[in-house]
Amino acid sequence: MTFAALADKVLAGARIDEAEALLLFRHPNLLELGELAQAVNERRNGRKVFFNVNRHINHTNICVNRCRFCAFFRRPGEAGAYLMSLDEVRARAEEALQQGATEIHVVGGLHPDLPFEFYLELLATIKAVSPELHVKAFTAVEIAYLAELAGLTIPQTLEKLKEAGLGSLPGGGAEIFAPEIRNQLCPEKISGVQWLSIMEQVHRAGLKSNATMLYGHLESVEDRVDHMRQLRELQDRTGGFQVFIPLAFQPEHSQLKIGGSGTSGVDDLRTLAVGRIYLDNFANVKAYWVMLGEKIAQVSLCFGVNDLDGTVVEERIGHEAGADTPQAMSRDSIVAMIRKAGRIPVERDTLYRELEVY
């Protein structure tokens, strides 16, 4: 099939298959691909670009897993290992509230010594600062770990977490689903099949979540398309994913610092554009500026992207891996960045309700 014929099919609103997605990945004209992705995006979202005012709390970097791509984790007692107290968590949540945050994003290591009750107290501590703060917390990997810790099923675990204040889930831990690649990246982590199963149960429990894909390491473009296929199939069943977030691998401080790993700006834009076109049942595609850099994230707004994440504040995981972006971005900076791309900035809450159109 030619690109022109495929573009006609996409613009007619038809769903493309995996072979056609691969054709898009290999199309030599990046600007044509971007134009098609942007047409798909504008049909759904107009010229609006979302962001939110949020704060990351990475409560511990102590982790039982040894993922080769991760520069964040530490073993207990290792230099740089830390665990925040609940008082520290409360102080960060209070500061975030004063800065106008509507979301606290909580992700951390799988700490070997913390009881399940700690996580319930963590959620309750944040909600005690303000019931208006939405807590987006715990990847599917963490949910599996917490269920084991508590001796509960996944639905029972989610119910306890919801009662304590859990509002939605981030999309981390998906990495890449292809088993042979995943086993090289993160052999101790739950499988891709388990990640999808947990997310299905999360959606059945009435919680929304995000979906990620880590790319630019050992995977092929076929692996990327297969990953997106499995996300699309689950979204067809549940409709529970809010946004697709391709995460650009940061090789600098990981054990996977191998020749050719990491991404280029062209690869980043291509991956975002193909994600927008192929994932026709996802309302939103996010350029995570922390890992992409501000300028590629801004350019991506012409490649089908309609979400720039948020103000973030004190993100540690990507920065430990070598991201050289700022630790935070102000609301004014994000608004200006979107406006300079010729788009309309819209502040949203975690569940994509519009709070202010600039």
Side-chain angles (χ1 to χ4, degrees):
M1 179 182 274
T2 65
F3 179 81
L6 183 49
D8 287 343
K9 178 177 178 177
V10 169
L11 294 172
R15 171 169 277 195
I16 67 168
D17 63 22
E18 291 69 61
E20 290 163 334
L22 285 170
L23 191 151
L24 293 178
F25 260 115
R26 293 179 175 133
H27 183 57
N29 191 321
L30 181 67
L31 296 182
E32 281 185 350
L33 177 64
E35 193 174 22
L36 180 60
Q38 192 53 23
V40 171
N41 176 47
E42 289 196 14
R43 186 164 59 198
R44 185 185 274 266
N45 296 306
R47 297 182 71 79
K48 291 179 177 179
V49 173
F50 290 118
F51 72 95
N52 70 339
V53 180
N54 62 345
R55 168 123 197 189
H56 282 224
I57 297 180
N58 303 128
H59 53 284
T60 184
N61 62 352
I62 298 169
C63 190
V64 299
N65 280 352
R66 303 284 180 269
C67 301
R68 289 180 65 211
F69 64 85
C70 181
F72 176 67
F73 83 85
R74 298 289 185 277
R75 294 171 179 84
E78 190 179 344
Y82 74 88
L83 168 64
M84 286 184 191
S85 68
L86 292 175
D87 284 342
E88 288 175 287
V89 169
R90 181 182 297 107
R92 281 166 168 76
E94 286 170 349
E95 185 182 21
L97 188 67
Q98 287 162 11
Q99 293 168 344
T102 56
E103 171 190 295
I104 303 292
H105 179 135
V106 181
V107 174
L110 308 182
H111 197 295
D113 303 322
L114 293 174
F116 181 58
E117 287 65 34
F118 171 85
Y119 298 91
L120 301 179
E121 289 174 28
L122 176 68
L123 293 168
T125 296
I126 297 168
K127 293 302 281 188
V129 169
S130 171
E132 298 304 308
L133 278 174
H134 180 104
V135 187
K136 182 174 77 180
F138 311 134
T139 65
V141 178
E142 290 170 276
I143 296 295
Y145 185 71
L146 295 182
E148 194 177 324
L149 200 60
L152 299 171
T153 64
I154 298 294
Q156 288 168 338
T157 304
L158 292 168
E159 202 50 49
K160 295 266 188 200
L161 295 169
K162 276 171 68 178
E163 285 169 10
L166 180 66
S168 65
L169 271 76
E175 319 317 354
I176 203 83
F177 294 145
E180 63 283 2
I181 304 300
R182 194 179 186 86
N183 288 340
Q184 293 178 68
L185 281 183
C186 47
E188 298 169 56
K189 192 169 270 184
I190 61 172
S191 69
V193 170
Q194 288 171 300
W195 188 95
L196 289 159
S197 169
I198 289 167
M199 281 305 189
E200 183 152 9
Q201 294 174 78
V202 164
H203 299 164
R204 302 282 179 219
L207 292 167
K208 296 288 187 184
S209 77
N210 298 344
T212 61
M213 176 181 75
L214 185 72
Y215 69 99
H217 42 85
L218 304 171
E219 90 294 351
S220 64
V221 287
E222 286 84 359
D223 294 328
R224 295 185 199 179
V225 171
D226 184 63
H227 185 99
M228 289 192 274
R229 173 189 62 79
Q230 294 182 71
L231 291 176
R232 190 169 78 172
E233 287 174 356
L234 179 52
Q235 182 75 333
D236 276 342
R237 292 199 298 277
T238 68
F241 288 125
Q242 300 202 97
V243 59
F244 174 57
I245 314 165
L247 298 174
F249 173 56
Q250 308 289 314
E252 196 55 39
H253 301 136
S254 87
Q255 296 171 39
L256 275 181
K257 195 175 178 184
I258 48 177
S261 68
T263 70
S264 67
V266 169
D267 193 20
D268 294 331
L269 295 171
R270 188 177 294 283
T271 302
L272 288 159
V274 174
R276 166 60 76 190
I277 296 163
Y278 179 81
L279 293 170
D280 55 2
N281 52 6
F282 275 68
N284 306 294
V285 174
K286 180 185 292 184
Y288 188 44
W289 64 261
V290 170
M291 290 184 173
L292 292 173
E294 294 162 59
K295 290 191 174 173
I296 290 293
Q298 186 183 41
V299 173
S300 77
L301 302 182
C302 300
F303 282 75
V305 165
N306 73 309
D307 191 305
L308 282 181
D309 198 84
T311 50
V312 177
V313 185
E314 206 186 8
E315 189 279 342
R316 297 193 184 195
I317 297 171
H319 285 91
E320 289 279 356
D324 57 5
T325 49
Q327 284 258 337
M329 204 189 297
S330 71
R331 182 195 267 115
D332 289 348
S333 297
I334 293 180
V335 166
M337 185 173 157
I338 295 168
R339 278 203 176 124
K340 285 175 182 174
R343 302 292 183 267
I344 301 164
V346 180
E347 185 180 339
R348 61 166 175 83
D349 68 6
T350 307
L351 300 175
Y352 284 82
R353 291 177 294 225
E354 294 185 11
L355 300 178
E356 185 172 352
V357 179
Y358 288 82

